[in-house]
Amino acid sequence: MIKVINLTKKYGNHEVLKVISFEVRKSVIYGLLGRNGAGKTTTMNILTGLIDYDEGEIYIDGKMLKRNNRKTLNKIGYLPENPSFYNYMTAYEYLYFIGEISGIPYKKVKMRVEELLETVRLRDYAKKKIKEYSRGMKQKLGLAVALFNNPEIIFLDEPTSALDPESRHDILNLILDMKKNGKTIFLSTHILSDAERVCDYIGILDNGIIIFSGELRELKQKYIQPIYDITFETFPQNIKEKFNNIEWIEGIKIYNDKVSIYVNDIEVAKRNIIDEISKLKIPVISFQIRESNLEDIFIRMVKENGNI
Ligand SMILES: Nc1ncnc2c1ncn2[C@@H]1O[C@H](COP(=O)(O)OP(=O)(O)OP(=O)(O)O)[C@@H](O)[C@H]1O
């Protein structure tokens, strides 16, 4: 559905996209991951025809984006990171306005507005002024706008960032519904747990290149690694220093009193970990083993790419 070949983009001397290639199949959710400033929004803006690129080729549903702009862009809906609306309008008025500027006959606009309010579950708030909307409601309205022309591909830039957990949950469910309806969804995010929940495919953008593009399942299988999560009663001073030279420990991550120990030889670890922890002489509150999640894998891959 989307094919990007050797795409490059510079701002002055800053090579934001050094050379990136990836493919997105029809009716899947593809998540583009990267740290702040990695070039996610730049990629989105290029793929939605908002900004130009330097070199490379982009195909949307088999048609080259540059040569066939208007026709190709009709297949696309876009929800930018910070959508702006006319805040003095109600959602009804705003969607009617979008219908009018899209050149759709009035009767059809009315039907479409009703449908969309239902789809994004805003019907009960449709007569409220947008300025009174929460961020989550504004995102839903943004989704309705992106869906207005019934596009085949929907681009969502950081759709859940800055939302509270309940609104995030709502938006993720709407994204899953869109996939069920056959849409192809290309989203960018740095909330890795959200990507893990909804994405079938993942692209990791780092230092101007795509260091992985493929199935999330495949990525998790490739990077499967046991991790011990341990919560201590007090901050474990010097744990890094003490555990650094242990061969079967690959890395340690500390968040306050919680420590994650990444292990490369589980059999040796099972026999030795309790011993090593007891040497610290700090009371342990909880102790469990788990497999790596997308966040663990992301950090490891970016580290291997030389950026941490
Ligand atoms: N119009 C511009 N002119 C010059 N530099 C720009 C421009 N837009 C973006 N950049 C730079 O390009 C890099 C990539 O920016 P981009 O917004 O694409 O990153 P991002 O991955 O979306 O980050 P974030 O998660 O913070 O939104 C950044 O270093 C940014 O400062």
Side-chain angles (χ1 to χ4, degrees), residues 235-247:
F235 181 72
Q237 293 283 357
N238 304 334
I239 188 170
K240 274 204 169 160
E241 211 175 280
K242 286 189 173 149
F243 282 14
N244 240 352
N245 296 324
I246 299 176
E247 260 180 23

Side-chain angles (χ1 to χ4, degrees), residues 211-229:
I211 56 175
F212 176 86
S213 178
E215 256 189 289
L216 174 60
R217 209 177 34 189
E218 179 198 325
L219 181 68
K220 287 177 91 171
Q221 248 154 26
K222 193 168 162 196
Y223 281 87
I224 212 156
Q225 180 189 33
I227 298 164
Y228 285 95
D229 284 331

Side-chain angles (χ1 to χ4, degrees), residues 43-181:
T43 308
M44 285 270 170
N45 286 343
I46 290 173
L47 294 180
T48 50
L50 288 181
I51 60 170
D52 214 349
Y53 51 96
D54 297 330
E55 280 168 42
E57 290 162 41
I58 299 168
Y59 296 90
I60 304 278
D61 203 14
K63 305 257 166 36
M64 203 179 203
L65 184 63
K66 231 176 190 171
R67 287 199 198 136
N68 207 347
N69 244 332
R70 195 181 299 162
K71 228 175 163 186
T72 312
L73 291 177
N74 277 342
K75 294 177 188 282
I76 289 174
Y78 185 25
L79 173 61
E81 187 171 2
N82 296 305
S84 49
F85 308 99
Y86 293 122
N87 285 321
Y88 58 86
M89 289 184 179
T90 66
Y92 254 124
E93 289 164 347
Y94 192 75
L95 288 174
Y96 268 98
F97 163 71
I98 295 294
E100 261 170 44
I101 57 174
S102 305
I104 302 171
Y106 183 77
K107 262 194 185 158
K108 279 198 175 158
V109 171
K110 190 167 163 25
M111 234 164 60
R112 189 71 186 132
V113 170
E114 296 294 340
E115 263 171 24
L116 286 167
L117 287 169
E118 195 65 47
T119 306
V120 301
R121 293 168 209 137
L122 269 186
R123 188 188 284 287
D124 292 346
Y125 310 96
K127 289 184 178 155
K128 235 178 153 176
K129 294 245 188 283
I130 299 170
K131 66 175 172 230
E132 290 163 31
Y133 273 26
S134 65
R135 287 187 94 117
M137 287 157 80
K138 282 188 180 165
Q139 276 308 74
K140 287 182 182 177
L141 181 58
L143 271 184
V145 174
L147 289 169
F148 206 100
N149 288 321
N150 200 13
E152 289 171 42
I153 311 172
I154 297 146
F155 289 88
L156 308 169
D157 194 3
E158 300 278 358
T160 53
S161 67
L163 294 186
D164 60 53
E166 197 185 337
S167 308
R168 263 174 58 203
H169 181 82
D170 285 353
I171 296 291
L172 293 177
N173 281 341
L174 288 176
I175 293 172
L176 288 169
D177 285 349
M178 292 194 278
K179 181 180 118 168
K180 268 189 220 143
N181 291 329

Side-chain angles (χ1 to χ4, degrees), residues 11 14 16 34-43 81 157-158 190:
Y11 286 116
H14 182 186
V16 178
R35 291 173 297 156
N36 288 338
K40 302 181 295 295
T41 300
T42 301
T43 308
E81 187 171 2
D157 194 3
E158 300 278 358
H190 59 258

